[in-house]
Amino acid sequence: MTLAPAPTPLAARIDAVLAGFVDGQRLLWPDDDLRPMLDTVRRFILTGGKRLRPAFCYWAWRGVAAPEERGEDQAAVTAGAALELFHCFALIHDDIIDAGSRRRGQPSMHEEFAAAHARQGWRGDARSFGRNTALLCGDLCAMWAEELLVGCPAAPGRLAQAQRLFSVMRAEAVAGEYLEVVAQARGDFGSGARARAARVVQLKTARYSVVRPLQIGAVLAGASDAVLDGLAAFGEPLGEAFQLRDDVLGVFGDPARTGKSVLDDLRQAKPTTLLAEGFARADAPSRAVLSAHVGDERLGEAGAARVRAVLAESGALAAVEERIAAARAEALRALEYLEVAGESRQALGALADFVASRSE
């Protein structure tokens, strides 16, 4: 989708930076034994993905940058590419932690490496090999993200601010993931589950998907503290809408569009707001259905259909949809007061609409 005029389509520019950086890294490691790993990482980085985090970064930068600086936007593009690399790290590790089977319409990276191990007839456990190798690939993406950001063509003071925000973002994402892992281990959808799910959403998704990309782009353009606060007021509710939509798609979505299974979240009893609402709102027979199927690692489509019916009939799905709409409205109200250039306000509004209503 076209959000606003730019010298070339933003996603294509992000991909060009990523391809150039990764290909440069591959030249440093010509070993034949490393080629499969490097090729797999390159393919994962450049195949699929909506490039939303770079878009938030870019349009915040453009909204804050002085008119005479807007033609020199490579700093925002490079920072956006670094954010995309960090996102790749998060996706790879998230799939390992959640035992996710598919990503972007293809087998998850750990599944891909496990299959390669089996084809080669190598020694040891194929699934363990797949997890270990994917873990290393995720680590590589995280390290590359930092290296790419360090090379961002920005004034030293502004770049230092961006690096500090980047570091905070990484810690927040890890903290959110930890809280999700703990909640998943407890298997607790009782009292307080909705509040705990909301905290996970804030740290794991809202900050790293929306708020910090916005603020990183803005500081690279010299934003004031007031503008950064305004971006947070816009980004926090929008990040919530982003994750809640993801939770809905994880159960009710079309795998052909999302590229992900609609069984994984249920099999893993992922502590989402949607499931917390379902347990809180369901009557005793319906709660028994949820208890029987949520967390069942062998859950099939028939059981998942029964869970979906409970989530819909209990009002849980409607409650989450209402919260998505309310969070989007809250974000758009904050956007009205944000001190950014007009074209960026329009682009950020379009991003807000997409995030809240997406089907992929």
Side-chain angles (χ1 to χ4, degrees):
M1 77 183 154
T2 301
L3 298 175
T8 61
L10 180 59
R13 296 182 67 195
I14 296 295
D15 285 353
V17 171
L18 290 170
F21 178 83
V22 173
D23 288 345
Q25 293 293 321
R26 291 164 81 214
L27 290 175
L28 299 175
W29 301 97
D31 314 54
D32 288 341
D33 287 342
L34 290 175
R35 186 63 54 197
M37 179 184 73
L38 295 172
D39 287 348
T40 299
V41 172
R42 185 186 193 278
R43 185 171 63 253
F44 184 84
I45 291 169
L46 295 174
T47 302
K50 294 175 282 295
R51 307 301 189 239
L52 286 173
R53 292 154 192 83
F56 282 119
C57 177
Y58 179 85
W59 289 110
W61 176 90
R62 197 169 182 88
V64 173
E68 63 273 14
E69 295 180 348
R70 289 177 196 161
E72 299 294 333
D73 61 0
Q74 193 57 42
V77 175
T78 302
L83 287 163
E84 191 65 25
L85 278 177
F86 181 80
H87 179 48
C88 289
F89 145 77
L91 292 180
I92 295 167
H93 280 215
D94 203 45
D95 285 342
I96 296 169
I97 292 169
D98 293 339
S101 57
R102 297 187 70 77
R103 175 68 66 178
R104 295 175 173 175
Q106 301 294 326
S108 300
M109 188 175 287
H110 63 276
E111 296 282 0
E112 182 178 349
F113 279 117
H117 180 286
R119 284 196 306 273
Q120 297 293 334
W122 289 340
R123 297 174 56 189
D125 180 62
R127 300 192 69 80
S128 178
F129 173 84
R131 288 192 300 271
N132 293 342
T133 307
L135 181 70
L136 295 172
C137 291
D139 290 343
L140 191 60
C141 287
M143 290 183 284
W144 281 351
E146 185 172 5
E147 183 177 346
L148 186 54
L149 184 65
V150 166
C152 187
R158 294 179 180 182
L159 180 56
Q161 282 186 281
Q163 289 175 294
R164 283 194 291 272
L165 283 169
F166 198 84
S167 294
V168 170
M169 175 192 72
R170 289 183 300 179
E172 289 169 337
V174 170
E177 186 69 62
Y178 170 76
L179 291 177
E180 183 174 86
V181 168
V182 169
Q184 200 166 334
R186 287 174 174 164
D188 178 17
F189 287 99
S191 176
R194 283 179 284 192
R196 289 191 292 273
R199 182 58 170 160
V200 170
V201 166
Q202 181 188 47
L203 290 174
K204 182 182 173 185
T205 302
R207 297 280 173 83
Y208 116 80
S209 293
V210 184
V211 177
R212 299 311 182 198
L214 287 167
Q215 292 179 328
I216 288 170
V219 298
L220 288 172
S224 66
D225 288 343
V227 169
L228 295 181
D229 290 343
L231 288 168
F234 167 70
E236 291 279 6
L238 187 57
E240 180 187 6
F242 183 105
Q243 183 59 55
L244 293 181
R245 176 58 62 204
D246 206 54
D247 293 344
V248 170
L249 293 174
V251 177
F252 289 91
D254 177 1
R257 293 183 64 85
T258 65
K260 297 186 291 185
S261 168
V262 288
L263 300 177
D264 286 348
D265 283 6
L266 299 178
R267 286 172 174 168
Q268 298 299 318
K270 207 165 184 180
T272 65
T273 299
L274 177 62
L275 286 177
E277 288 285 352
F279 276 95
R281 292 169 178 270
D283 59 19
S286 295
R287 195 174 297 115
V289 171
L290 295 178
S291 297
H293 294 298
V294 174
D296 178 3
E297 295 182 359
R298 295 170 295 180
L299 178 71
E301 183 53 41
R306 288 191 281 274
V307 172
R308 292 187 199 108
V310 169
L311 294 175
E313 293 164 7
S314 68
L317 177 59
V320 172
E321 290 288 357
E322 288 173 6
R323 182 54 205 156
I324 291 172
R328 171 186 168 276
E330 183 182 349
L332 292 178
R333 284 194 298 272
L335 183 59
E336 292 178 6
Y337 297 98
L338 198 56
E339 295 181 13
V340 294
E343 64 169 350
S344 290
R345 190 186 312 278
Q346 180 182 5
L348 292 172
L351 279 169
D353 289 339
F354 175 78
V355 161
S357 62
R358 64 195 171 93
S359 59
E360 56 186 354

